[in-house]
Amino acid sequence: MLYIVGLGPGDKSKMTQEAIDVIEKCPIIVGYATYMRLVKDMLDGKQIVSTGMRGEMERCEKAIELASDNQDVALISSGDAGIYGMAGLVMEMLAHKKQQLEVHVVPGVTASIAAAAQLGAPLMNDFCHISLSNLMTPWEVITKRVDAAAKADFVICLYNPRSKGRPNNLREALDIILKYKSPDTIVGYGKDVARPKEIEKITTIKDLDEEDINMTTIVIVGNKNTFVDDGRMVTPRGYTL
Amino acid sequence: MLYIVGLGPGDKSKMTQEAIDVIEKCPIIVGYATYMRLVKDMLDGKQIVSTGMRGEMERCEKAIELASDNQDVALISSGDAGIYGMAGLVMEMLAHKKQQLEVHVVPGVTASIAAAAQLGAPLMNDFCHISLSNLMTPWEVITKRVDAAAKADFVICLYNPRSKGRPNNLREALDIILKYKSPDTIVGYGKDVARPKEIEKITTIKDLDEEDINMTTIVIVGNKNTFVDDGRMVTPRGYTL
């Protein structure tokens, strides 16, 4: 059986009981080196298959190969494995190979949910997830989605907002958002959430310091009703108080 | 301290370690009766404050009142407390009262993520969450969001898709989606995910049996690339295989 396990954002306290149980039970753990470190106290006596960044295809191939040999394998992914994670890639590969394999996805707390909890309650009304990485999705598809989401006043969670190789993607996305949302719209972000150097900040679109944003940051742009109170970012659900 | 705790979709295995720890440590637990049942083996010797459905405001008021008295209180919510849950309502109430109170949100696995894991990997590309309940959001705001999401080919997760009081909301939303998406677009849904009567189904927009959908169902409408393989609903991330 191949288990694809979402570890949550980082700290073990944010893992589900099922994720812990599956990792404890599987003799083989496959994953990116950074994620291995998050569960290092659970790996004693196990076979570890670890690769570097951008080794996603290699990791999935290896996990499929080992599980096909009738072994219990846990392929670990940060956050939730089904959100920009490893679950889909494994299933795409199996479809491509026309191979049948029992796969069980263990859901986890994705980065936006973890960041939102630290910021307050910004996701209390309809929201979108958009990845600003155009490595695998054409930039014009991404900008079309940003435009649609801003126009309909969704709360917008931006994954992979900015990197050295793509320093301007966040700026371009914010410029599109500003066609519809006020520059005073509340923006919150969480960097390295549930990890040792965690930082959260609440600001506005116009005051956002892009230099502070990197690939391990989740940016949450509020809707027109999002407000700040007592240091918390809150999007109202619509109750009459 | 007031903890607002997301229990995940139902089964204790889908709770985070932190959620379990907080419930164990707090002497007072506040929540909807149905959610109390999900954690009933953890409630021995605790003060329980439970209300019926639509008692959200009463529960939040009570939780704030008890925590203001310098006690550790856990207000429990299913899924993630910050997604259409109790976290935002508590913060709105505190803002309204101009009251300061230490609040800690414990994130959880929201229903869409749990359903997605059971269906396959439908959320591997950009997606939206839209609640079709127009109790607190005007229907024209909701339909505008459905229209924008479908037009930009987001994967769309529909919360509160259909109830006895709102039997036609799902139909109307699907009709809007059909302006842009093919009737053969893959749709998956999960009903009572991680609870005893759990059901998952994968179909298409045109073959969806609305009678099978109720308020405890999460409906996930794929994007134009979403496919079914070996019983799994998969939205490609964009890797070249």
Side-chain angles (χ1 to χ4, degrees), chain A:
Chain A
M1 168 79 95
L2 175 53
Y3 295 91
I4 310 179
V5 182
L7 299 181
D11 189 75
K12 198 174 165 184
S13 69
K14 301 277 192 296
M15 286 177 68
T16 66
Q17 200 55 59
E18 186 183 18
I20 294 170
D21 291 347
V22 165
I23 291 174
E24 280 178 351
K25 149 177 121 172
C26 286
I28 306 174
I29 313 288
V30 182
Y32 172 36
T34 302
Y35 306 153
M36 284 296 174
R37 283 197 289 275
L38 299 176
V39 293
K40 63 178 184 301
D41 61 325
M42 300 168 71
L43 301 180
D44 270 3
K46 294 183 191 294
Q47 179 183 342
I48 306 301
V49 181
S50 166
T51 65
M53 208 169 77
R54 305 217 176 147
E56 298 102 306
M57 295 185 62
E58 194 188 335
R59 288 199 288 284
C60 290
E61 282 285 4
K62 194 71 194 170
I64 290 170
E65 187 191 313
L66 290 162
S68 304
D69 200 20
N70 214 14
Q71 305 185 82
D72 279 340
V73 176
L75 173 61
I76 61 175
S77 198
S78 76
D80 176 68
I83 296 184
Y84 311 120
M86 295 291 99
L89 180 53
V90 164
M91 293 175 195
E92 280 190 74
M93 282 183 167
L94 290 170
H96 187 72
K97 291 171 192 281
K98 299 190 193 333
Q99 183 185 340
Q100 291 199 319
L101 180 69
E102 224 181 326
V103 176
H104 179 74
V105 180
V106 178
V109 173
T110 189
S112 60
I113 292 185
Q118 292 296 87
L119 291 164
L123 306 183
M124 285 293 297
N125 216 306
D126 302 332
F127 65 92
C128 294
H129 271 195
I130 302 173
S131 168
L132 294 187
S133 166
N134 55 334
L135 276 179
M136 288 178 292
T137 302
W139 185 239
E140 55 274 22
V141 172
I142 296 171
T143 53
K144 187 177 164 191
R145 289 178 182 157
V146 172
D147 190 285
K151 191 172 178 185
D153 201 28
F154 279 98
V155 174
I156 305 174
C157 300
L158 300 172
Y159 277 61
N160 309 312
R162 191 166 175 274
S163 70
K164 281 181 190 151
R166 298 186 294 285
N168 300 318
N169 288 15
L170 177 61
R171 182 71 263 154
E172 288 185 37
L174 291 175
D175 286 343
I176 294 167
I177 290 171
L178 283 170
K179 284 166 56 187
Y180 310 102
K181 295 193 191 244
S182 153
D184 294 314
T185 302
I186 307 299
V187 176
Y189 57 91
K191 197 178 193 171
D192 297 308
V193 175
R195 300 192 190 179
K197 291 184 188 165
E198 171 168 3
I199 291 171
E200 277 86 29
K201 279 194 189 156
I202 298 175
T203 179
T204 58
I205 298 179
K206 73 172 189 292
D207 292 325
L208 180 74
D209 176 10
E210 288 167 57
E211 296 297 320
D212 200 29
I213 308 287
N214 66 10
M215 284 303 271
T216 64
T217 311
I218 296 291
V219 177
I220 303 179
V221 181
N223 71 18
K224 68 176 182 206
N225 299 316
T226 302
F227 64 91
V228 181
D229 177 71
D230 199 14
R232 293 186 284 252
M233 176 179 181
V234 183
T235 302
R237 178 75 187 101
Y239 291 94
T240 308
L241 300 186

